[in-house]
Amino acid sequence: MGLSDKISSKTDQAVGAAKEKIGDLTNNSDLKGDGADQKASGKVDQKVEDVKDKATDVKHDAQAAADKLKD
């Protein structure tokens, strides 16, 4: 996961949580819902990037193992 992607997903989570809290405090269900959606979106983005990182690690490990077998 690139640094900018990590920052973006964490920002979405933080801003979403803030909107959700403000919506709750002001009894604004639309703002609360938007905040919950944004927070969830940030979490999903983070999980997708985590999976991509793991896949890249597996690919590199497999390549290293294949290279070892060639030697």
Side-chain angles (χ1 to χ4, degrees), residues 26-42:
T26 61
N27 292 321
N28 184 333
S29 61
D30 289 338
L31 184 60
K32 185 177 178 180
D34 288 345
D37 290 346
Q38 187 171 1
K39 184 170 74 172
S41 176

Side-chain angles (χ1 to χ4, degrees), residues 37-67:
D37 290 346
Q38 187 171 1
K39 184 170 74 172
S41 176
K43 287 182 180 182
V44 168
D45 289 345
Q46 184 177 358
K47 294 295 180 189
V48 167
E49 291 301 325
D50 289 347
V51 169
K52 287 180 184 177
D53 288 346
K54 292 290 183 187
T56 299
D57 291 346
V58 169
K59 177 184 171 187
H60 290 142
D61 291 347
Q63 185 63 49
D67 290 345

Side-chain angles (χ1 to χ4, degrees), residues 1-8 49 53:
M1 178 178 216
L3 181 59
S4 64
D5 293 329
K6 287 181 182 179
I7 292 169
S8 178
E49 291 301 325
D53 288 346

